[in-house]
Amino acid sequence: MPSNCCTAATPHRPLSSSFTLRVVYSKGTYIRSLAHDFGEALGTAAHMTSLRREAIGQYHVRDAWPLDDLLKELTAAKERLAEQGDAGAEQPLSEKEH
């Protein structure tokens, strides 16, 4: 699996030349400068309309939680902690950990 991966759309001219570019790269690569380099090579201006990092190290966007699921889980965890709050506050720290 690549350590870094992103999808970038560059260059973009209204009503014409735009494309999507998928890049697998290593540490130290400046993805945003690719737009400049493409424009320069084509003798025109270029810019990115979007940039999405899909992976870094062992983490990949396909493994990410959907935002709604994450919010539900955080809310449930917060409620569980609130329920334990008063009872847990009376116990010494060493007893809470076991």
Side-chain angles (χ1 to χ4, degrees):
M1 176 186 287
S3 61
N4 296 298
C5 181
C6 70
T7 301
T10 183
H12 175 75
R13 273 187 263 154
L15 305 176
S16 65
S17 306
S18 68
F19 61 91
T20 298
L21 176 66
R22 183 173 172 86
V23 179
V24 177
Y25 59 96
S26 61
K27 185 164 56 169
T29 303
Y30 294 97
I31 296 299
R32 288 176 183 87
S33 67
L34 284 176
H36 175 267
D37 295 345
F38 276 116
E40 194 171 84
L42 296 170
T44 187
H47 70 275
M48 278 191 225
T49 58
S50 66
L51 175 62
R52 177 181 174 174
R53 177 171 290 200
E54 296 179 357
I56 184 166
Q58 66 184 17
Y59 303 103
H60 196 283
V61 71
R62 71 173 169 255
D63 301 322
W65 287 32
L67 183 57
D68 287 342
D69 292 350
L70 178 60
L71 292 174
K72 286 177 190 174
E73 185 62 30
L74 290 173
T75 299
K78 184 177 177 182
E79 290 170 359
R80 286 191 302 271
L81 287 173
E83 290 171 3
Q84 298 171 358
D86 291 333
E90 296 171 5
Q91 297 176 2
L93 182 58
S94 60
E95 290 180 28
K96 288 184 205 177
E97 294 176 342
H98 299 311

